[in-house]
């Protein structure tokens, strides 16, 4: 492909440079060659995921429980001939089996749907390619590319397939993923000798490379696994779906609870056996069996079986709610990190401002002009600010010609007869200005112009260089037109044009600088326009650095880019939430400061602004000292962003950083939360970001932080709910073991307070459902009034542990008291256990309304989350039903109660929650 002539390749691929493929041919080729994607190893099949979930540690405990019920049943059938007892052991085993299957199905369902819904969310961020099909340029998903497609790439794009270049324009590409060479490669379109090595095939583009400069058009020669990247795809590391920090913490927590449970079980069995020995002077096998089955309940009680599944589901619910706010999150771990963000470093242009640029003033040929008009409409008068003198077109014509020729933007009339900008907004502003003076690029380049004018080369704008240049040929003359940040241009300037005379830069400097600072202090973005005559040889072969010097300044423009109106409020909200906001911009220091002041980002009009050249001179330690106090950075290059992030992170700050250009990708990766722009961002930045703003708005960052905090709060709330229940279950069973040493009424001293199945029911149904529902809770009113969460702090910090223990203790005690009372009142074993069971169920259902608030249930409207109401009603009613229906009575050892008792077990368990929360409100207690 690299050794043939490009026309032969086009012929061979049966395609055309000007028409592209037809959709029909493209579809046929797609069938033949397959999707343009890397096929990593086969995904784990569903049954494997399912089987794997059957061997999780929590589930293994349940398997052991089943084994024990089987042993106990055989003993009943064969030795004791106690058929009823044996059957109830069998039922117990069956129910546990059902629980295992339900849990595994849930895990499987969660794994597949969570992944799907995350994929669906991120389908908006799938790679796109600009391709020529049916004679029109269009954007398609990159995986649809086929050999023969004509594609167009520009700075910031990925190359999505292997290409042969048909035309290139200062095209430079980074191919380090194939060659290991970090330096960008300059591309050409000419044929190369047969024996050229991969790294030197400069007329080819390779899938996975990034365009770091210029643009190019190429024909796709290979896609998917046929590309050079595909050939080594097996060597590339596959990204695994990693557990999020909180998921890791939770699985650690469950492991610890399992160890604790094992300890408690051993103690309880020992205690039972000692108890029996003291009572009867023997230890019977029956006694051993009984105490083991009690111990199973205890083990199951201690472990929040459903917590890992509920957690992943709640995280997914959170990611979806973020997407509704126009924030697209790429991994679940970032959902958590977002809420802990302490510093947000934002670009100015387009994020804090509207990116609707309009030239309002300019200075040319020594004359100051003001410009009327709004938006992109190319109408508006230009007046001279020179003591009311008439406008002389000759004062701005050369300047404006230069500004519109050295320019890659356009404006286009749309269906509604409005003008739409196309391309770089700064350039658009200059195009509009030109049109106001009846100077347009098309007219200048058309054949009918006075002199034949052609564009030979373009050095595109780069935020590192802060300049762009175009080399043109007018008649027989060659010129370089350069424009860029005035302070940068002036470093490459020889003289300036004032009143049609060339004035040396040493003389002109003061006037120009004053002009720039006047504009900048008025929050205007400034650009200097310059040019120089070249020889033909220079024009065709000179390097960028050699050509962009000894320039003549033609003029300076002042461009207004109004702040987005809603940003001021967002910044105020973030400040209240103790999140610092920092502006990082390539613009002039004075412009940056003026905008920062208008947005309330800084209080002090004269506050310190650190500029890129200062950062350049600073050591990392000096920068470290400085960063906590600086809110505005100006004239910054993308490399500086990384250093600022690192310095802030050394202060233990959690940094979110926005970026839009290719060069921002490393900074986005270095940040804790890299943020890319969905509309104006390049493919490369979107790829390295954690969060994509679908609307490019700063306010979306604020909303995402708030959503991140809400999700974390909801997770803490449901964990408080689940763990409290576990404490209550364990305590009520242990109290039964330790305190009931003699039979009470019909109830033997070996009867556990709750049966294993009851405990499982509570964990899987009446606890999990409200927990899911808490994932849908809206933020509490003060969520953005608190400090960001300290990521190093334990999940159980801030009184969560003491709340779980105290509330769980009280609830467990209540369950035991209910059981003890029922036994003393002469009720049957099943009735006493049912009373204990329902006391627990309703105790925790009431408690759910308290757990969902960082304060108490009195501060949250219970009806604000209808999912929760539905979950609580369902859990309550189904728990009552299983005590009334004979089938469940047999299966679960429950028993119907009198209606007085039902009323008592529904309402009395509310008392602990209401009393404790009431005391909390009155005395401002935090620990429960
Ligand atoms: P930011 O995105 O933070 O506003 P940029 O890197 O886009 O910063 O711009 C930095 C400076 O480069 C601007 O202040 C302006 O002087 C100059 N500049 C921006 N866009 C262009 C352009 N298209 N052509 C020439 N100069 C430009
Ligand atoms: Mg910019």
């Amino acid at each position: 492909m690299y050794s043939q002539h490009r026309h032969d390749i086009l012929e061979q691929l049966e395609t055309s440079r000007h028409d592209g493929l037809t959709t029909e041919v493209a579809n046929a080729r797609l069938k033949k060659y397959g999707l343009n994607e890397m096929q990593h190893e086969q995904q784990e099949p569903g049954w494997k995921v399912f089987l794997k979930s059957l061997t999780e540690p929590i589930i293994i405990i349940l398997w052991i429980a089943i084994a024990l019920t089987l042993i106990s049943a055989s003993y009943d059938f064969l030795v004791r001939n106690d058929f009823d007892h044996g059957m109830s052991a069998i039922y117990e085993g069956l129910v546990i089996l059902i629980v295992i299957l339900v849990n595994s199905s849930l895990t499987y369902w969660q794994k597949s749907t969570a992944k799907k819904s995350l994929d669906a969310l991120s389908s908006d961020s799938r790679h796109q390619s600009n391709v020529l099909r049916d004679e029109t340029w269009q954007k398609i998903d990159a995986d649809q590319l086929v050999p023969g497609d004509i594609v167009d790439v520009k700075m910031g794009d990925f190359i999505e397939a292997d290409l042969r270049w048909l035309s290139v324009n200062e095209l430079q590409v980074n191919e380090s993923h194939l060659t290991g060479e970090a330096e960008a490669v300059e591309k050409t379109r000419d044929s190369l000798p047969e024996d050229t090595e991969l790294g030197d095939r400069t007329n080819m583009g390779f899938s996975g490379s990034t365009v770091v400069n210029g643009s190019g058009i190429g024909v796709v020669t290979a896609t998917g696994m046929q590309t050079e990247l595909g050939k080594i795809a097996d060597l590339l590391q596959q990204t695994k779906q990693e557990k999020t920090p909180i998921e890791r913490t939770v699985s650690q927590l469950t492991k610890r609870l399992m160890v604790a449970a094992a300890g408690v079980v051993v103690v309880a069995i020992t205690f039972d056996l000692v108890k029996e020995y003291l009572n009867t002077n023997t230890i019977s096998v029956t006694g051993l069996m009984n105490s083991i089955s009690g111990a199973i309940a205890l083990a199951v009680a201690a472990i929040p079986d459903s917590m890992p599944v509920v957690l992943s589901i709640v995280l997914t619910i959170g990611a979806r709610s973020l997407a509704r706010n126009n924030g697209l999150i790429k991994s679940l771990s970032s959902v958590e990190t977002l809420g802990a963000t302490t510093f947000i470093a934002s670009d100015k242009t387009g994020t804090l401002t509207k990116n609707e640029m309009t030239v309002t003033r300019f200075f040319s040929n020594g004359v100051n002009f003001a410009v009327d008009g709004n938006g992109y409409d190319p109408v508006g008068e230009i007046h001279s600010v020179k003591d009311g003198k008439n406008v002389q077109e000759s004062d701005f014509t050369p300047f404006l010609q230069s500004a519109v020729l050295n320019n890659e933007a356009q404006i286009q009339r749309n269906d509604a007869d409005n003008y739409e900008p196309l391309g770089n907004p700064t350039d658009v502003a200059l195009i509009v200005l030109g049109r106001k003076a009846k100077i347009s690029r098309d007219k200048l380049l058309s054949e009918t112009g006075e002199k034949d004018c052609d564009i030979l080369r373009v050095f595109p704008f780069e935020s590192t260089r802060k300049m762009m240049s175009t080399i043109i040929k007018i008649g027989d003359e060659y010129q370089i037109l350069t424009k860029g940040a005035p302070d940068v241009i002036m470093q490459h300037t020889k003289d300036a044009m004032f009143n049609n005379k060339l004035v040396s830069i040493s003389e002109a400097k003061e006037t120009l600088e004053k002009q720039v600072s006047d504009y900048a202090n008025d929050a205007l973005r400034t650009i200097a326009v310059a040019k120089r005559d070249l020889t033909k040889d220079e024009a065709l072969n000179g390097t960028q650095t050699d050509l962009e010097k000894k320039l003549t300044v033609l003029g300076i423009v002042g461009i207004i880019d109004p702040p987005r109106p809603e940003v001021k409020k967002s910044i105020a909200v973030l400040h209240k939430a103790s999140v610092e906001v920092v502006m990082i911009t390539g613009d002039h220091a004075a412009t940056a400061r003026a905008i920062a002041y208008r947005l309330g980002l800084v209080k002090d009009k004269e506050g310190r602004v650190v500029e890129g050249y200062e950062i350049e001179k600073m050591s990392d330690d000096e920068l470290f000292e400085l960063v906590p106090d600086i809110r505005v950075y100006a004239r910054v290059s993308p490399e500086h962003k990384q250093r600022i992030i690192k310095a802030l992170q050394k202060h233990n700050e959690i940094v979110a950083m926005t970026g839009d250009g290719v060069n921002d990708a490393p900074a986005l990766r270095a940040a804790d939360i890299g943020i890319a722009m969905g509309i104006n961002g390049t493919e490369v930045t979107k790829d390295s970001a954690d969060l994509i703003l679908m609307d490019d708005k700063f306010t979306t960052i604020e909303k995402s932080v708030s959503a991140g905090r809400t999700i974390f709060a909801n997770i803490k709330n449901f964990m408080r709910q689940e763990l409290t229940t576990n404490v209550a279950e364990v305590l009520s069973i242990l109290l039964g073991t330790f305190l009931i040493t003699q039979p009470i009424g019909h109830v033997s001293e070996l009867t556990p307070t709750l049966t294993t199945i009851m405990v499982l029911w509570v964990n899987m149904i009446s606890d999990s459902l409200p927990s899911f529902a808490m994932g849908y809770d809206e933020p509490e009113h003060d969520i953005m009034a608190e400090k960001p969460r300290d990521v190093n702090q334990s999940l159980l910090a801030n009184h969560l542990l003491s709340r779980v223990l105290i509330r769980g203790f009280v609830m467990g005690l209540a369950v035991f008291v209910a059981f003890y009372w029922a036994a003393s009142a002469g009720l049957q074993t099943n009735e006493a256990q049912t009373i204990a069971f329902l006391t627990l169920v309703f105790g925790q259902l009431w408690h759910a309304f308290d757990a969902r608030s960082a304060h108490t249930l009195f501060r949250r409207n219970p009806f604000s989350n209808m999912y929760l109401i539905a979950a609580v009603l369902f859990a309550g009613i189904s728990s009552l039903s299983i005590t009334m229906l004979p089938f469940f009575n047999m299966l679960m050892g429950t028993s119907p109660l009198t209606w007085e008792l039902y009323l008592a077990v529904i309402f009395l368990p509310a008392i602990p929650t209401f009393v404790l929360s009431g005391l909390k409100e009155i005395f401002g207690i935090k620990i429960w």
Side-chain angles (χ1 to χ4, degrees):
M1 289 293 170
Y2 54 92
S3 54
Q4 289 155 288
H5 193 271
R6 55 181 190 278
H7 294 147
D8 296 338
I9 291 174
L10 286 170
E11 207 162 292
Q12 207 177 315
L13 291 166
E14 294 173 38
T15 182
S16 135
R17 160 77 180 79
H18 296 287
D19 305 341
L21 297 174
T22 61
T23 306
E24 214 183 336
V25 172
N27 285 343
R29 290 192 189 179
L30 191 63
K31 275 218 187 83
K32 179 163 168 208
Y33 295 99
L35 285 179
N36 176 33
E37 62 180 11
M38 293 300 133
Q39 285 150 7
H40 286 293
E41 280 164 56
Q42 282 288 309
Q43 257 201 339
E44 236 179 336
W47 59 268
K48 245 190 181 164
V49 175
F50 188 82
L51 280 190
K52 226 186 208 168
S53 67
L54 294 179
T55 57
E56 295 211 352
I58 293 185
I59 301 299
I60 287 181
I61 296 217
L62 297 182
W63 286 120
I64 296 175
I66 292 185
L68 291 175
T69 56
L70 289 182
I71 294 173
S72 153
S74 334
Y75 176 75
D76 285 335
F77 289 136
L78 304 175
V79 182
R80 290 208 315 180
N81 276 325
D82 181 343
F83 185 77
D84 285 349
H85 211 259
M87 274 321 279
S88 73
I90 294 275
Y91 289 145
E92 190 169 300
L94 274 180
V95 172
I96 300 178
L97 185 66
I98 292 173
V99 167
I100 292 179
L101 294 180
V102 167
N103 190 71
S104 292
S105 313
L106 212 61
T107 310
Y108 168 70
W109 172 79
Q110 189 278 324
K111 283 238 165 73
S112 54
T113 52
K115 191 164 178 320
K116 257 188 238 145
S117 76
L118 213 60
D119 285 352
L121 286 182
S122 53
S123 69
D124 288 337
S125 68
R126 242 191 318 233
H127 289 189
Q128 300 264 303
S129 263
N130 204 14
V131 59
L132 183 63
R133 291 241 179 117
D134 301 323
E135 298 171 46
T136 38
W137 285 104
Q138 44 192 282
K139 282 219 149 112
I140 61 168
D141 283 350
D143 61 4
Q144 304 289 319
L145 287 177
V146 295
D149 265 329
I150 308 289
V151 299
D152 161 27
V153 298
K154 57 178 191 319
M155 194 155 73
D157 284 344
F158 280 107
I159 295 178
E160 303 285 0
D162 284 2
L163 310 172
R164 167 68 190 262
W165 297 115
L166 302 173
S167 72
V168 294
N169 176 12
E170 309 299 328
L171 179 64
Q172 288 178 14
V173 169
N174 186 320
E175 305 180 332
S176 56
H177 66 302
L178 289 178
T179 59
E181 180 63 55
E183 198 98 343
V185 186
E186 180 109 34
K187 291 294 179 181
T188 64
R189 60 176 192 178
D190 304 324
S191 317
L192 295 167
E194 281 287 352
D195 55 355
T196 313
E197 296 284 332
L198 186 69
D200 298 326
R201 292 182 198 158
T202 52
N203 58 9
M204 300 285 293
F206 299 110
S207 180
S209 329
T210 50
V211 179
V212 295
N213 194 26
S215 59
I217 292 178
V219 55
V220 174
T221 56
T223 60
M225 296 304 283
Q226 271 79 50
T227 61
E228 294 300 328
L229 180 66
K231 290 179 191 157
I232 58 161
D234 294 342
L235 306 176
L236 296 178
Q237 252 196 344
Q238 207 191 130
T239 48
K240 272 200 240 123
Q241 180 107 10
E242 281 195 12
K243 280 195 172 168
T244 74
I246 200 169
E247 285 177 315
R248 258 178 273 140
T249 318
V250 165
S251 66
Q252 217 173 39
L253 186 72
T254 38
K255 278 195 193 117
R256 287 209 192 121
L257 286 174
M258 279 170 58
V259 174
V264 173
V265 166
V266 170
V267 171
I269 293 182
T270 319
F271 192 88
D272 260 348
L273 295 181
V274 170
K275 194 160 70 176
E276 192 192 1
Y277 185 76
L278 292 182
N279 279 352
T280 61
N281 265 333
T282 50
I283 293 179
S284 65
V285 181
T286 319
L288 182 65
M289 284 297 161
N290 269 339
S291 72
I292 285 178
S293 77
I296 297 171
L298 198 54
V300 171
I303 298 161
D305 320 64
S306 60
M307 197 135 94
V309 188
V310 177
L311 177 64
S312 343
I313 295 178
V314 169
L315 279 172
T316 318
I317 295 174
R320 262 193 244 141
S321 80
L322 266 160
R324 267 197 302 278
N325 288 333
N326 283 323
L328 205 116
I329 202 87
K330 296 227 300 237
S331 77
L332 290 180
S333 349
S334 319
V335 177
E336 277 176 68
T337 319
L338 251 182
T341 305
T342 58
F343 259 80
I344 297 174
S346 173
D347 281 342
K348 173 179 72 65
T349 311
T351 316
L352 297 172
T353 65
K354 288 185 169 171
N355 216 4
E356 287 168 13
M357 308 222 185
T358 316
V359 177
T360 56
R361 292 159 71 180
F362 67 94
F363 176 77
S364 154
N365 200 25
V367 185
N368 227 318
F369 294 92
V371 188
D372 290 345
N374 267 323
Y376 304 120
D377 242 359
V379 283
E381 207 170 318
I382 297 175
H383 3 227
S384 140
V385 199
K386 196 164 101 187
D387 359 305
K389 232 181 84 177
N390 279 346
V391 176
Q392 296 273 320
E393 284 190 12
S394 61
D395 279 341
F396 56 68
T397 306
F399 160 76
L400 282 182
Q401 282 178 344
S402 186
V404 300
L405 276 177
N406 178 22
N407 192 308
E408 295 199 296
Q410 297 170 41
I411 47 174
Q412 212 177 38
R413 215 189 263 264
N414 64 14
D415 301 338
D417 236 16
N418 289 325
Y419 282 89
E420 265 179 10
L422 278 180
N424 178 326
T426 311
D427 280 353
V428 170
L430 294 172
I431 294 283
V432 173
L433 174 65
R435 291 278 289 270
K436 285 176 181 170
K438 313 231 158 15
I439 294 174
S440 88
R441 183 184 159 90
D442 289 346
K443 245 192 260 167
L444 292 170
L445 292 176
S446 73
E447 309 283 312
T448 55
E450 298 160 37
K451 279 185 208 164
D452 199 16
C453 177
D454 280 313
I455 288 178
L456 304 181
R457 297 166 69 186
V458 178
F459 303 123
F461 176 76
E462 272 176 286
S463 45
T464 329
R465 215 162 100 250
K466 298 186 174 53
M467 295 195 281
M468 82 167 275
S469 301
T470 300
I471 295 171
I472 56 165
K473 176 172 183 267
I474 304 186
D476 301 327
E477 289 165 27
Y478 295 86
Q479 286 180 349
I480 178 165
L481 312 176
T482 303
K483 68 184 189 338
D487 32 324
V488 180
I489 293 280
M490 273 194 270
Q491 287 164 22
H492 304 270
T493 296
K494 193 170 99 233
D495 46 27
M497 182 75 82
F498 289 166
N499 300 317
N500 303 318
K501 281 197 219 68
L502 288 177
V503 181
S504 79
I505 188 65
S506 51
E507 267 178 70
K509 202 170 178 177
E510 203 179 318
T511 318
L512 292 174
E513 279 178 351
K514 176 166 180 311
Q515 207 58 53
V516 169
S517 74
D518 275 0
Y519 289 170
N521 286 326
D522 282 347
L524 298 182
R525 188 172 163 86
T526 51
I527 292 199
V529 176
K531 71 167 185 183
R532 167 159 81 98
D533 293 330
L534 303 175
T535 65
K536 180 175 180 186
D537 180 51
E538 278 179 320
L540 295 180
N541 305 316
T543 63
Q544 179 180 298
T545 1
D546 283 343
L547 297 181
E548 284 178 340
K549 61 185 189 194
K550 295 193 233 146
L551 301 165
T552 301
V553 173
L554 300 176
I556 290 165
V557 290
I559 302 176
I560 190 156
D561 176 19
R564 289 182 186 270
E566 72 282 2
V567 168
K568 192 168 181 178
K569 204 172 137 233
S570 289
I571 291 181
V573 170
L574 287 166
H575 281 167
K576 192 154 168 250
S578 308
V579 180
E580 300 298 337
V581 182
V582 176
M583 173 193 284
I584 299 190
T585 177
D587 256 350
H588 194 279
T591 315
R593 183 193 280 128
I595 301 260
Y597 181 73
R598 288 186 192 184
L599 289 172
L601 203 156
V602 289
K603 302 264 163 334
D604 180 5
K605 233 178 180 160
E606 303 300 316
R608 168 124 194 233
V609 174
V610 171
E611 295 195 56
Y613 77 90
E614 296 175 78
I615 299 179
E616 206 72 51
K617 282 190 288 192
M618 270 179 226
S619 70
D620 283 344
D621 288 337
E622 285 165 322
L623 188 61
F624 173 79
E625 293 298 324
L626 202 64
V627 284
D629 304 320
I630 301 300
R631 295 293 173 268
V632 182
Y633 296 89
R635 287 287 186 245
V636 171
S637 302
E639 308 86 81
H640 301 141
K641 288 188 172 180
Q642 277 183 78
R643 289 189 60 200
I644 297 172
I645 293 175
K646 296 233 168 78
L648 282 169
Q649 283 170 336
K650 252 206 248 165
H651 285 281
N652 289 327
E653 305 290 355
I654 305 292
V655 188
M657 166 84 75
T658 69
D660 50 11
V662 226
N663 302 323
D664 287 333
L668 293 196
R669 266 180 249 125
D672 297 282
I673 296 282
I675 306 174
M677 304 300 141
I679 304 170
N680 279 329
T682 55
E683 292 292 326
V684 176
T685 38
K686 282 190 221 171
D687 197 69
S688 12
D690 305 296
L691 175 71
I692 300 180
L693 307 180
M694 298 312 286
D695 54 6
D696 288 14
K697 285 185 185 166
F698 183 80
T699 303
T700 303
I701 306 180
E702 178 237 315
K703 286 198 202 133
S704 303
V705 169
S706 159
R709 287 187 176 196
T710 309
I711 293 159
F712 196 80
N714 292 347
I715 289 174
K716 271 179 85 165
N717 293 347
F718 96 72
M719 288 186 44
R720 174 179 155 197
Q721 169 75 358
E722 293 214 343
L723 292 176
T724 303
T725 312
N726 292 115
V727 171
E729 287 165 348
V730 171
L731 189 80
S732 59
I733 296 175
L734 280 184
L735 286 177
T737 308
F738 291 139
L739 297 185
I740 303 186
T741 49
Q742 300 289 330
I744 310 173
H746 301 287
V747 179
S748 112
E749 78 276 17
L750 292 175
T751 309
T753 320
L754 298 161
T755 67
T756 308
I757 300 181
M758 288 171 178
V759 170
L760 281 175
W761 174 273
V762 170
N763 286 356
M764 301 305 297
I765 307 281
S766 59
D767 215 16
S768 317
L769 291 179
S771 294
F772 283 135
M774 283 186 208
Y776 287 100
D777 259 331
E778 295 285 315
E780 273 190 283
H781 62 94
D782 55 353
I783 195 112
M784 289 300 268
E786 288 157 23
K787 284 213 164 69
R789 165 173 60 93
D790 178 356
V791 281
N792 296 320
Q793 219 170 38
S794 143
L795 206 61
L796 297 174
N798 284 328
H799 310 299
L800 191 66
L801 184 62
S802 66
R803 283 180 192 173
V804 163
L805 290 176
I806 295 175
R807 301 275 182 155
F809 184 87
V810 175
M811 206 187 288
L813 192 64
V815 172
F816 173 72
V817 168
F819 178 80
Y820 193 89
W821 171 85
S824 313
L827 298 180
Q828 296 298 327
T829 305
N830 282 357
E831 290 169 323
Q833 285 176 324
T834 301
I835 287 176
F837 166 65
L838 289 179
T839 306
L840 177 64
V841 167
F842 286 97
Q844 44 140 343
L845 290 182
W846 288 110
H847 176 254
F849 292 100
D850 196 66
R852 70 191 273 259
S853 171
H855 311 283
T856 68
L857 78 171
F858 301 117
R859 303 276 190 96
R860 285 208 94 168
N861 175 1
F863 299 102
S864 63
N865 181 349
M866 291 319 272
Y867 292 106
L868 183 63
I869 298 284
V872 165
L873 281 179
F874 179 83
I877 292 171
S878 61
S879 301
L880 288 174
S881 324
I882 59 170
T883 67
M884 297 175 189
L885 303 173
F887 174 72
F888 286 101
N889 292 157
M890 179 184 71
L891 205 64
M892 304 187 57
T894 51
S895 162
L897 305 175
T898 60
W899 66 267
E900 291 97 336
L901 280 177
Y902 274 129
L903 282 184
V905 292
I906 292 174
F907 291 105
L908 291 183
I911 295 174
T913 298
F914 279 86
V915 169
L916 286 177
S917 296
L919 290 175
K920 195 169 162 178
E921 284 292 340
I922 296 167
F923 298 108
I925 301 164
K926 287 244 154 49
I927 56 164
W928 64 61

